Amino acid sequence: MGNVHEFRIVGVGASPYTRKLRAALRFRRLPFRFVVSGSKEARALPDRPLPLIPYLIAPDADGNLAVAKSDTTPILTYLDDAYPERRLRPSDPALRLLDLLVEDFGDEWLTKCMFHYRWSKEADARCAGAYLPFSMNMQMTAEESAAASASFSKRQIARLRVVGSNATTAPVIEASWGRFLQLLDAHIQNSPYFLGNRPGAGDFGCFGQMAMLVMNDPTPVALSRSISPRTYAWTERCEDLSGLDVSDADWIDICSPPDTLRNILSEVGRVYVPYLLANAAAVQQGGVTFQCELDGQPWEQDTVTYQAKCLVWLRDAYAALSQADAARVDRILKGTGCEFLFSGL
Ligand SMILES: N[C@@H](CCC(=O)N[C@@H](CS)C(=O)NCC(=O)O)C(=O)O
């Protein structure tokens, strides 16, 4: 069998965005080889465009591995455009916007939960620090890994402030994670994925973070097992959906969405939307840190320029909708708090 048209995904298994991309390609039935970041195989490939993992190397028409792409959200869009069979993003523009919103919530809010539990809890930080060096270099000696673990953990713990995990925000993050598990549990009792009987990009955005929160890191794993064993089964299943047959009829009817989906959107509107708006306002004013209220509780963190862009991308997607499609989106978002993303546009 020829192999010239295989993609390469370069990353590590402990990276939530790597897991998002790898699971998405499996669902897409796009052939790929997984290459460990920093390995000799990775070094032989084109360099990454951004200092981030994962990155994707796409074959050109002749199978040459020339082009490297970073950032999973635009990567998934590129793959949908280039390989239309089993596209991830819904073709209905209104549903597509909802899917983008769920994806963004997974990528940018659940990642706060992931980073918070992994690096602010001693047991989790010890666990992650101990094995992460080996995930990049299995042959490290005990001394080398101890040094790598100490420096990597120090770097990640210092980054907690960038993500927004601190003593003020911890209760907001933990309460949101617990609610999200309950809401997803209720939703998947009737609808196996966020937007129906088939996954969209949003499922993989949430899956990537949940691969860590539900299946990997001790404190949130224990929590999720006690709150919702069903979400463990969901997360484990999302890892490889290559065998799931899907069609356009599998998406929900956006005009009669299940209450359980609106309840999840209400969680997005409760915490993530006010966060995005406050962050973007602070970025616009040139702030380095900002404070706001989320869910009636205080929040403070460093401003995040990338997340100000996330808001712009969501708004651009909304602005591109026809009036009829925007009205369908407005109807489902009304009363969830998510409508404030687009009010006044
Ligand atoms: N928005 C990016 C985020 C990727 C990301 O933040 N990756 C993390 C690892 S999970 C990373 O590479 N961080 C920089 C580092 O570890 O040096 C995406 O969706 O790909």
Side-chain angles (χ1 to χ4, degrees):
M1 191 182 89
N3 56 14
V4 285
H5 296 301
E6 285 173 325
F7 291 83
R8 301 290 186 276
I9 298 174
V10 187
V12 295
S15 141
Y17 299 97
T18 298
R19 297 288 279 273
K20 171 190 176 187
L21 186 62
R22 194 166 65 176
L25 263 81
R26 283 183 180 134
F27 168 75
R28 296 285 329 266
R29 297 182 183 155
L30 294 172
F32 68 91
R33 292 185 206 175
F34 183 68
V35 177
V36 176
S37 175
S39 64
K40 70 174 178 2
E41 291 83 359
R43 287 196 297 276
L45 292 167
D47 205 1
R48 55 189 180 174
L50 295 173
L52 292 173
I53 51 171
Y55 52 105
L56 180 82
I57 320 274
D60 64 17
D62 299 321
N64 298 315
L65 293 164
V67 190
K69 295 173 188 297
S70 285
D71 202 350
T72 55
T73 300
I75 288 175
L76 294 186
T77 304
Y78 153 78
L79 290 172
D80 266 17
D81 293 344
Y83 303 89
E85 188 80 5
R86 286 170 74 81
R87 265 193 198 124
L88 258 189
R89 302 191 187 283
S91 45
D92 172 350
L95 268 183
R96 188 183 168 97
L97 186 98
L98 284 189
D99 185 41
L100 264 182
L101 181 56
V102 174
E103 183 184 13
D104 204 49
F105 173 77
D107 284 350
E108 308 300 331
W109 179 264
L110 291 186
T111 200
K112 291 185 187 303
C113 304
M114 194 297 290
F115 215 85
H116 165 75
Y117 281 112
R118 179 173 287 179
W119 296 110
S120 77
K121 310 277 175 194
E122 207 187 316
D124 300 78
R126 211 176 320 112
C127 168
Y131 82 84
L132 282 172
F134 296 119
S135 63
M136 278 167 267
N137 177 0
M138 204 74 76
Q139 271 72 48
M140 273 187 186
T141 63
E143 293 73 31
E144 285 166 343
S145 77
S149 166
S151 79
F152 190 71
S153 302
K154 194 171 158 206
R155 186 184 81 152
Q156 297 300 81
I157 289 166
R159 277 194 193 163
L160 281 168
R161 52 171 301 153
V162 179
V163 178
S165 159
N166 53 55
T168 305
T169 63
V172 180
I173 295 173
E174 293 181 12
S176 177
W177 171 239
R179 281 193 305 266
F180 174 73
L181 281 174
Q182 282 167 335
L183 295 171
L184 183 59
D185 187 297
H187 181 66
I188 58 184
Q189 289 181 36
N190 291 310
S191 165
Y193 303 99
F194 282 89
L195 298 182
N197 289 320
R198 51 158 301 158
D203 293 83
F204 292 104
C206 293
F207 160 76
Q209 306 300 325
M210 291 171 73
M212 308 297 129
L213 283 158
V214 174
M215 300 203 298
N216 199 69
D217 295 353
T219 302
V221 163
L223 257 177
S224 59
R225 285 297 174 93
S226 71
I227 295 176
S228 169
R230 195 190 308 272
T231 56
Y232 175 86
W234 183 88
T235 310
E236 194 274 325
R237 183 177 293 188
C238 285
E239 181 98 62
D240 192 341
L241 290 172
S242 56
L244 183 72
D245 290 327
V246 297
S247 78
D248 264 1
D250 292 320
W251 296 114
I252 55 159
D253 174 4
I254 194 174
C255 296
S256 51
D259 286 348
T260 52
L261 174 62
R262 276 184 46 87
N263 294 343
I264 292 174
L265 292 171
S266 296
E267 180 60 26
V268 178
R270 184 169 177 166
V271 285
Y272 184 50
V273 168
Y275 164 79
L276 262 191
L277 295 173
N279 174 65
V283 168
Q284 200 173 21
Q285 285 158 19
V288 179
T289 62
F290 71 101
Q291 296 177 327
C292 63
E293 221 175 68
L294 299 189
D295 194 24
Q297 295 178 71
W299 183 274
E300 59 187 23
Q301 76 163 91
D302 290 359
T303 48
V304 183
T305 312
Y306 182 85
Q307 289 171 343
K309 288 190 201 152
C310 292
L311 177 60
V312 171
W313 293 326
L314 285 171
R315 286 180 163 170
D316 286 349
Y318 181 86
L321 294 176
S322 71
Q323 250 182 359
D325 290 336
R328 289 190 299 140
V329 169
D330 291 347
R331 211 170 306 129
I332 183 169
L333 295 188
K334 191 165 179 227
T336 64
C338 295
E339 67 272 31
F340 298 116
L341 284 173
F342 310 123
S343 47
L345 289 191

